[in-house]
């Protein structure tokens, strides 16, 4: 037991002496713990690199799922006859379902999907008016902004419901 304390003290001294904060000696003490047999579980979790995607800010895979959720919500919203702007409610529905099912926060992906889908739908639905001289860039920007906000609101409430359902009482 005294040997381990000396190794850790030497490792801490070696780390503080040089190498500008590069951790040199921690793997040696972990290997010593494994050799002794005291900390096999912690050593395996320390030495193995993490394969999860939790540290990334943007994921192409999540973006594709976001486009699928928003597109599916827009299709379902568009199926309601004689009620205008139901596709916008579909964007909220898609964001809500995505937030409910996703294990991580993906506001950037869902905002991008909602903005592009909302803008593209507005431009494509008014194609004859665009051919007649309506400003399509301004229309895309306004509808894209509305779609972005609606997708983020839906995602927020979906994550809130997920948090409430999975929290311990």
């Amino acid at each position: 037991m005294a040997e381990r304390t000396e190794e850790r003290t030497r490792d801490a001294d070696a780390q503080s002496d040089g190498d500008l904060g590069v951790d040199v000696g921690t793997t040696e003490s972990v290997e010593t713990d494994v050799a002794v047999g005291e900390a096999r579980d912690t050593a395996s979790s320390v030495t193995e690199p993490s394969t999860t995607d939790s540290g990334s800010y943007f994921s192409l895979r999540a973006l594709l799922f976001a486009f699928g959720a928003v597109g599916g919500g827009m299709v379902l919203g568009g199926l309601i006859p004689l009620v205008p702007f139901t596709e916008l409610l579909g964007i909220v529905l898609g964001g809500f379902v995505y937030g409910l099912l996703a294990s991580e926060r993906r506001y950037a992906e869902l905002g991008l999907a909602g903005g592009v889908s909302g803008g593209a739908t507005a431009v494509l639905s008014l194609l004859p008016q665009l051919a007649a001289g309506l400003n399509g860039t301004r229309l895309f920007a306004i509808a894209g902004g509305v779609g972005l906000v609606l997708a983020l609101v839906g995602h927020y409430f979906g994550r809130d419901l997920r948090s409430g359902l999975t929290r311990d009482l």
Side-chain angles (χ1 to χ4, degrees), residues 95-96 98-99 105-107 110 151-159:
F96 181 80
Y98 188 84
R105 292 179 286 175
R106 294 293 181 185
Y107 289 103
L110 204 62
L152 293 179
V153 166
H155 186 62
Y156 174 78
F157 284 115
R159 289 202 41 83

Side-chain angles (χ1 to χ4, degrees), residues 32-90:
T32 305
D33 289 344
V34 171
V36 173
E38 291 182 10
R40 290 187 191 273
D41 294 334
T42 58
S44 64
S45 66
V46 169
T47 57
E48 293 177 4
S50 177
T51 58
T52 60
D53 189 35
S54 63
S56 69
Y57 291 109
F58 192 84
S59 169
L60 185 61
R61 183 177 174 197
L63 178 65
L64 293 176
F65 281 123
F67 269 112
V70 169
M74 289 176 71
V75 167
L76 287 175
L79 292 176
I80 301 172
L82 303 175
V83 179
F85 306 113
T86 54
E87 290 90 5
L88 296 177
L89 294 176

Side-chain angles (χ1 to χ4, degrees), residues 3-149:
E3 293 174 4
R4 286 185 50 210
T5 306
E6 290 176 19
E7 285 179 13
R8 289 186 181 168
T9 305
R10 282 186 288 175
D11 293 339
D13 292 340
Q15 183 180 2
S16 64
D17 287 343
D19 295 342
L20 297 172
V22 175
D23 192 11
V24 178
T26 57
T27 57
E28 183 180 317
S29 66
V30 169
E31 291 171 1
T32 305
D33 289 344
V34 171
V36 173
E38 291 182 10
R40 290 187 191 273
D41 294 334
T42 58
S44 64
S45 66
V46 169
T47 57
E48 293 177 4
S50 177
T51 58
T52 60
D53 189 35
S54 63
S56 69
Y57 291 109
F58 192 84
S59 169
L60 185 61
R61 183 177 174 197
L63 178 65
L64 293 176
F65 281 123
F67 269 112
V70 169
M74 289 176 71
V75 167
L76 287 175
L79 292 176
I80 301 172
L82 303 175
V83 179
F85 306 113
T86 54
E87 290 90 5
L88 296 177
L89 294 176
I91 292 175
V92 174
L93 176 69
F96 181 80
V97 169
Y98 188 84
L100 189 63
L101 298 178
S103 61
E104 296 178 350
R105 292 179 286 175
R106 294 293 181 185
Y107 289 103
E109 290 89 346
L110 204 62
L112 180 64
V116 169
S117 298
T121 301
V123 167
L124 292 176
S125 67
L126 297 175
L127 212 48
Q129 287 86 355
L130 291 173
L134 184 69
N135 189 357
T137 308
R138 188 174 296 158
L139 176 67
F140 182 84
I142 292 170
V146 169
L148 178 128
V149 168

